[in-house]
Amino acid sequence: MREPAIDYVLRATWQAVARMYNEQAASYGGSMAIGFVLLNIDREKGTPSTTLAPQMGMEPTSLSRTLKSMEKKGLIVRRPNPEDGRGVLIHLTAFGRQMRERSRETVIAFNEAVRSRVSEEKIAHFYEVADAVNSVVGNREIFKP
């Protein structure tokens, strides 16, 4: 039997993780995308909306839809950026902070479950492989424009 392609293993693994996170988030009326955004908003100062998409590797249109949904659910509020009159800061509401904590606990539980089954040495190798994949893709080492 042939060894599976690296991209296949990455995709299949990520899909399994995303499905798990979405199932968990759905039990709280959310989604993985919402949990991811909650975890990337500064709890105290808020976060400029323009920095969220690149910080999370999301397309601005996807983030825009997610933020609208989060606003409707009462997780976030948008406030003018006092340092840049044209900008907007995304702040967590009290409910958003609660849901952020649930998201954080979910991520920690997943990490602990994996770490209980895999040695620190193998985890370090996993990060090395991920860095190599990101380098190959990010530096366009294969398919140059």
Side-chain angles (χ1 to χ4, degrees):
M1 190 164 144
R2 290 189 318 190
E3 187 174 286
I6 292 169
D7 64 327
Y8 171 81
V9 173
L10 286 170
R11 186 176 56 254
T13 302
W14 177 245
Q15 287 175 340
V17 171
R19 190 171 36 257
M20 174 201 65
Y21 278 144
N22 274 316
E23 287 171 1
Q24 185 65 21
S27 68
Y28 301 108
S31 69
M32 182 185 74
I34 288 173
F36 196 35
V37 172
L38 289 170
L39 291 170
N40 281 279
I41 295 173
D42 186 290
R43 290 178 295 187
E44 307 306 321
K45 297 180 266 178
T47 300
S49 57
T50 53
T51 64
L52 271 176
Q55 178 181 328
M56 298 185 331
M58 283 179 84
E59 292 297 320
T61 52
S62 296
L63 177 62
S64 199
R65 277 192 306 272
T66 302
L67 290 175
K68 281 182 186 174
S69 170
M70 293 173 73
E71 210 167 13
K72 284 181 185 173
K73 292 175 187 275
L75 297 165
I76 61 165
V77 292
R78 300 174 201 239
R79 296 188 185 131
N81 186 339
E83 295 175 13
D84 177 4
R86 300 166 296 158
V88 173
L89 291 176
I90 308 297
H91 289 271
L92 297 171
T93 63
F95 180 51
R97 288 175 190 261
Q98 288 175 345
M99 295 308 284
R100 182 187 194 281
E101 187 57 29
R102 280 203 175 141
S103 297
R104 186 177 143 328
E105 290 167 359
T106 301
V107 170
I108 289 171
F110 170 70
N111 278 271
E112 287 174 351
V114 171
R115 287 183 180 279
S116 73
R117 291 164 177 79
V118 180
S119 72
E120 285 302 316
E121 181 182 8
K122 287 183 179 179
I123 296 280
H125 289 307
F126 168 76
Y127 286 128
E128 288 173 26
V129 172
D131 284 344
V133 169
N134 282 321
S135 177
V136 166
V137 173
N139 295 331
R140 298 175 187 232
E141 294 176 17
I142 303 170
F143 307 112
K144 301 196 185 292

